Amino acid sequence: MEIYINAVLLTLLAVTSCAIIRQRSLFGVVMLAGTYSFLMASVFVVLDAVDVAMTEAAVGAGVSTVIFLIALHLTKSREYPKPRSAVVPLFITLITGFALIWGTSTLPPFGVADAPIHEHTTPHYLDAAREKQIAANVVTAVLADYRSFDTLGETLVVFTAGIGIMMLLRVRRRRGPAGGNEGEPS
Amino acid sequence: MKSDVLLRIGVKLILPYMLVFAAYVQLHGDYGPGGGFQAGVIVAGMVIVYALVFGAKAARQIAPVALVERLAPAGVLIFAATGVPSLFAGKRYLDYSVFGHDALHAHEWGVFLVEAGVITTVAATLIAIFYALTDREHS
Amino acid sequence: MSVFAELIGHYNYFITIFLMMAGLYIVIARGNMIKKLVGLSLFQTSVYLLYVTPGKIAGGTVPIIDPAYSIYSNPLPHVLILTAIVVGIATLALGLALVVRIHEAYGTIEEDEIFARDGEI
């Protein structure tokens, strides 16, 4: 049953991504990206990744939509109808896509319990949780205990990105080289 | 900044529950879905919702810029400092066994401290990003 | 029947690759920088899917240990992707900050216009 729910949600995701490609209004694009994130969060629930689903719903559909909208407010909300040719990008993506699909043919099918990914380290985590050496939610336990170095690094990356944004945006405005009227000094 | 009265009342009604939910997600992360990253995003979402409805100035009164910018590095410090006691005990960095007598208890203390660092950094950084972007509008 | 089984067994991978290529297409074919960032985040999200998909076990449940269940999906991809999402939003915001600065300097966020303007100087 879950495999069919999964298939329907994934099809909806593909349709949404097509709509994102075709949509010209950037406001529409941002809203569709929010829809896409919610659909992706639903897929994660079906795939048993509830922690990931929660994060994706809060970050992808919540915070990133707000940040995109602020950026749109600060720039322009209409995509320029450009005369750029679509042939070369389409060719590149089709070639890459077929190469990748050919690559998936040897991957284990969906939902198989004896795939190589389930053979190493994971049984150890699950056994440790069953023996009550770590907390019941294995994801939190692995995140904050077994892989705490990793998480420390990720926290540092988030902080560093925050510093970068402050450095970029705290600088006083100057008139642009071509005198764009949005760049007036305050 | 004027908003619709329904929006203002609605947000005021929702905010306390968001706060409780963030605390639940943070503290119950050991036994249910959740943890520092999710709770941090929810806390940041609270401030962002408040700012969207009541204006950036009002949001700055409940979460001052100076506080937010000090909390972001403080979270990383809390996380990094969690690993130091185990070094003094002659164990590896970020080994939680010094925090308690049995494995589960020590682990829970370690995870609690680490997650406290994570929520602080994630929430403060996202709020700071939001402030930096909205500041640009007025400058 | 076996073709159908093959198709449904690899459907997740096909859609993942489709989404990846949709993101790549937007990044290559569109000149608008905000659209490009949406494309990048599309690509990024498809990578999350690529990681989480193999962790699923049919009939398994969420990796929160409870005596009532015995089969759990693999928690390791969830851990990796959880942190990746939060780092992803931070880097996305960094990209948008750069776009805002580019707009202030050039008055446009269309790549072609920026290149044309750089050529003039």
Side-chain angles (χ1 to χ4, degrees):
Chain A
M1 189 64 214
E2 57 196 357
I3 198 165
Y4 296 108
I5 299 175
N6 184 37
V8 170
L9 284 171
L10 286 171
T11 313
L12 283 174
L13 268 177
V15 172
T16 316
S17 71
C18 290
I20 290 175
I21 294 177
R22 292 192 57 81
Q23 180 65 257
R24 285 281 163 195
S25 154
L26 288 178
F27 183 74
V29 167
V30 171
M31 286 300 126
L32 282 171
T35 316
Y36 176 91
S37 287
F38 270 130
L39 280 171
M40 191 56 102
S42 318
V43 173
F44 287 149
V45 173
V46 177
L47 295 177
D48 290 342
V50 276
D51 293 78
V52 182
M54 202 176 193
T55 321
E56 175 66 25
V59 169
V63 178
S64 77
T65 306
V66 170
I67 291 177
F68 264 123
L69 287 179
I70 298 170
L72 276 187
H73 178 68
L74 292 174
T75 56
K76 280 176 187 149
S77 63
R78 188 83 199 163
E79 195 182 349
Y80 186 68
K82 44 89 232 181
R84 216 186 241 199
S85 156
V87 176
V88 177
L90 210 58
F91 181 71
I92 294 172
T93 45
L94 280 178
I95 295 290
T96 321
F98 279 119
L100 286 173
I101 284 180
W102 179 63
T104 60
S105 59
T106 52
L107 286 176
F110 178 72
V112 174
D114 55 359
I117 184 176
H118 305 300
E119 306 277 318
H120 307 284
T121 61
T122 308
H124 172 75
Y125 296 147
L126 293 173
D127 286 341
R130 284 200 191 95
E131 289 157 17
K132 296 203 182 300
Q133 285 167 357
I134 57 173
N137 185 356
V138 187
V139 174
T140 307
V142 176
L143 180 88
D145 196 340
Y146 289 101
R147 288 186 166 263
S148 48
F149 273 52
D150 211 359
T151 312
L152 177 59
E154 305 270 14
T155 316
L156 209 59
V157 170
V158 171
F159 173 58
T160 314
I163 294 176
I165 291 162
M166 283 178 223
M167 281 174 73
L168 276 171
L169 293 180
R170 286 281 167 81
V171 188
R172 284 211 11 237
R173 281 191 188 191
R174 281 179 295 113
R175 181 178 284 273
N181 51 355
E182 249 98 345
E184 289 291 337
S186 56
Chain B
M1 182 171 170
K2 277 184 194 165
S3 294
D4 187 36
V5 67
L6 270 177
L7 214 54
R8 275 183 285 143
I9 303 294
V11 166
K12 274 187 185 171
L13 279 177
I14 287 170
L15 279 178
Y17 296 103
M18 280 181 84
L19 189 61
V20 172
F21 185 60
Y24 167 77
V25 167
Q26 167 78 9
L27 300 172
H28 202 256
D30 279 357
Y31 297 98
F37 284 101
Q38 292 94 329
V41 177
I42 294 170
V43 169
M46 269 174 59
V47 175
I48 291 173
V49 166
Y50 191 80
L52 287 179
V53 175
F54 294 97
K57 207 173 267 179
R60 257 155 246 246
Q61 279 169 348
I62 56 167
V65 181
L67 177 73
V68 167
E69 281 169 12
R70 279 168 181 74
L71 281 180
V76 180
L77 267 182
I78 293 171
F79 198 138
T82 307
V84 175
S86 61
L87 288 181
F88 284 109
K91 295 192 172 125
R92 291 182 199 151
Y93 187 63
L94 284 171
D95 186 335
Y96 302 146
S97 55
V98 292
F99 291 119
H101 299 295
D102 61 294
L104 186 64
H105 192 221
H107 169 83
E108 277 176 350
W109 267 108
V111 170
F112 174 77
L113 289 171
V114 163
E115 297 276 22
V118 171
I119 187 182
T120 315
T121 300
V122 170
T125 308
L126 286 180
I127 295 170
I129 291 171
F130 178 75
Y131 281 169
L133 278 166
T134 44
D135 256 352
R136 207 63 189 169
E137 203 171 356
H138 304 298
S139 65
Chain C
M1 190 59 208
S2 79
V3 175
F4 179 72
E6 175 80 6
L7 189 73
I8 204 86
H10 285 79
Y11 192 64
N12 277 48
Y13 296 118
F14 296 155
I15 293 291
T16 305
I17 290 164
F18 180 83
L19 297 176
M20 229 177 239
M21 289 307 115
L24 185 66
Y25 176 80
I26 294 177
V27 171
I28 301 175
R30 296 288 191 255
N32 186 291
M33 289 186 168
I34 289 187
K35 187 95 182 237
K36 269 185 199 286
L37 281 174
V38 172
L40 264 184
S41 64
L42 219 68
F43 196 111
Q44 200 173 20
T45 320
S46 74
V47 174
Y48 305 157
L49 194 57
L50 181 67
Y51 264 70
V52 172
T53 296
K56 169 76 180 166
I57 296 178
T61 184
V62 177
I64 296 173
I65 302 297
D66 190 275
Y69 298 94
S70 60
I71 304 173
Y72 300 99
S73 291
N74 196 331
L76 195 53
H78 305 181
V79 177
L80 302 177
I81 294 312
L82 188 59
T83 49
I85 292 178
V86 180
V87 170
I89 177 76
T91 48
L92 174 75
L94 190 63
L96 282 171
L98 279 169
V99 170
V100 168
R101 287 299 303 273
I102 288 171
H103 183 256
E104 284 167 6
Y106 289 88
T108 179
I109 51 168
E110 295 290 338
E111 213 177 47
D112 299 340
E113 290 179 14
I114 291 168
F115 287 154
R117 195 155 295 177
D118 271 347
E120 285 167 20
I121 297 164

